[in-house]
Amino acid sequence: MRHFIALVGLLAFSYVSGPLALAATEEGFLGLILKQETPTKVVVKGTASGASAQKAGVKDEDVLESFKGKKVQNIGEFIKTVKATKPGSFETLKIKRAGKTIAFKLLVVSRETFLGAGIDAMKGKQIPELTATSVATNEKFVLSKLAGTPVVLELWATWCPACAANIPVLEAVAKKYDGKVKVVALSFESPAKVRTFFGDHKVAYDLVATESTDRNLSFMNNSSIPKFIVINAKGIVVEVLHQAQDLGAVLDKLD
């Protein structure tokens, strides 16, 4: 099982703090997942489905050179620049690929519009339908078919170190509540990428994946991952947690 040690992305998984130049609803967004490979080298490690970077042809392992004419060497500074860029504008992103510089004209979109409302606001509401692909069987997964059984829906990614750290804890939860609660881990990546990540390790819960560009249930594209959405037997979101070890206290109180 492999994972990156230090990744920060523009897919709303930034650990950068400080004042923002614009209101949250007006933050710029490109849809890049990035790694600080060296102190001065920022490398693309993924793109959000349907985002302008993906549509323009930005690829994994592209090295960022400049954005809006400003040299890119630090993820934090780059994120601040993108967030402070007015949505609706077209800006130039230059990357290095196979020794060549390529310039992309990217549409900066509203982060809030692209990512959708925060899932914390869904507490007490019916969970939307979700269809995905089972990583183990390649069969279609439909969330509504679990109606009548409480569900823990984890939002995670293979490149997320915190997600990897939660795997053994989530396995313990799945084993403890086996037969009472269904545990499902959702990644907005390809099933093949998730299978490669786990290798021969068989987890004690269900792994599902979807590369759909439908933003209706793109919960992963929220303020941070991992997230654990606790859904009761009636399909109502009762809690949203950030740590797997906090699940027990919530699950013990479910009807």
Side-chain angles (χ1 to χ4, degrees):
M1 182 171 61
R2 62 179 181 80
H3 59 272
F4 297 108
I5 296 175
L7 289 176
V8 181
L10 289 184
L11 190 56
F13 305 120
S14 167
Y15 296 98
V16 177
S17 61
L20 298 173
L22 301 170
T25 55
E26 290 298 320
E27 288 180 0
F29 181 83
L30 294 177
L32 291 169
I33 299 170
L34 305 170
K35 178 185 179 183
Q36 187 79 48
E37 196 157 279
T38 73
T40 59
K41 183 178 180 180
V42 179
V43 180
V44 176
K45 289 298 179 180
T47 55
S49 296
S52 56
Q54 183 194 59
K55 291 179 178 179
V58 178
K59 298 181 179 180
D60 291 6
E61 305 307 325
D62 284 348
V63 178
L64 300 193
E65 283 198 341
S66 66
F67 179 64
K68 298 172 64 174
K70 182 180 179 181
K71 192 171 184 179
V72 177
Q73 293 184 317
N74 177 270
I75 286 178
E77 291 304 315
F78 177 61
I79 290 176
K80 287 180 181 179
T81 300
V82 173
K83 284 186 174 183
T85 302
K86 185 177 180 179
S89 63
F90 283 88
E91 304 293 348
T92 300
L93 174 72
K94 290 185 178 181
I95 61 93
K96 181 80 75 175
R97 182 188 299 168
K100 296 182 179 180
T101 296
I102 303 174
F104 296 95
K105 205 73 171 178
L106 301 182
L107 172 64
V108 179
V109 299
S110 165
R111 176 178 179 273
E112 179 68 15
T113 299
F114 185 87
L115 300 179
I119 58 175
D120 286 337
M122 292 190 63
K123 291 181 185 178
K125 299 178 182 178
Q126 191 78 27
I127 192 81
E129 181 61 286
L130 165 68
T131 59
T133 300
S134 168
V135 172
T137 66
N138 275 326
E139 295 179 351
K140 186 177 182 179
F141 168 86
V142 180
L143 182 61
S144 61
K145 289 187 177 181
L146 299 180
T149 301
V151 176
V152 171
L153 180 64
E154 181 198 21
L155 313 176
W156 76 292
T158 60
W159 49 263
C160 166
C163 300
N166 269 289
I167 290 173
V169 183
L170 191 59
E171 285 197 284
V173 170
K175 292 175 181 177
K176 178 179 179 179
Y177 296 92
D178 184 34
K180 298 179 181 179
V181 176
K182 194 73 172 177
V183 178
V184 179
L186 166 67
S187 169
F188 277 75
E189 301 170 285
S190 70
K193 180 173 285 190
V194 177
R195 278 193 292 270
T196 299
F197 176 82
F198 281 101
D200 296 331
H201 180 67
K202 305 299 181 183
V203 293
Y205 48 88
D206 290 345
L207 297 170
V208 300
T210 176
E211 293 183 288
S212 171
T213 57
D214 179 8
R215 314 315 299 180
N216 182 51
L217 195 66
S218 293
F219 287 131
M220 193 180 77
N221 301 333
N222 195 252
S223 58
S224 64
I225 56 171
K227 266 190 171 65
F228 302 90
I229 305 171
V230 182
I231 308 163
N232 68 17
K234 296 179 180 179
I236 304 299
V237 177
V238 297
E239 189 57 88
V240 179
L241 303 169
H242 297 273
Q243 298 291 335
Q245 55 262 40
D246 295 332
L247 285 167
V250 176
L251 295 178
D252 286 341
K253 296 178 182 178
L254 284 181
D255 294 333

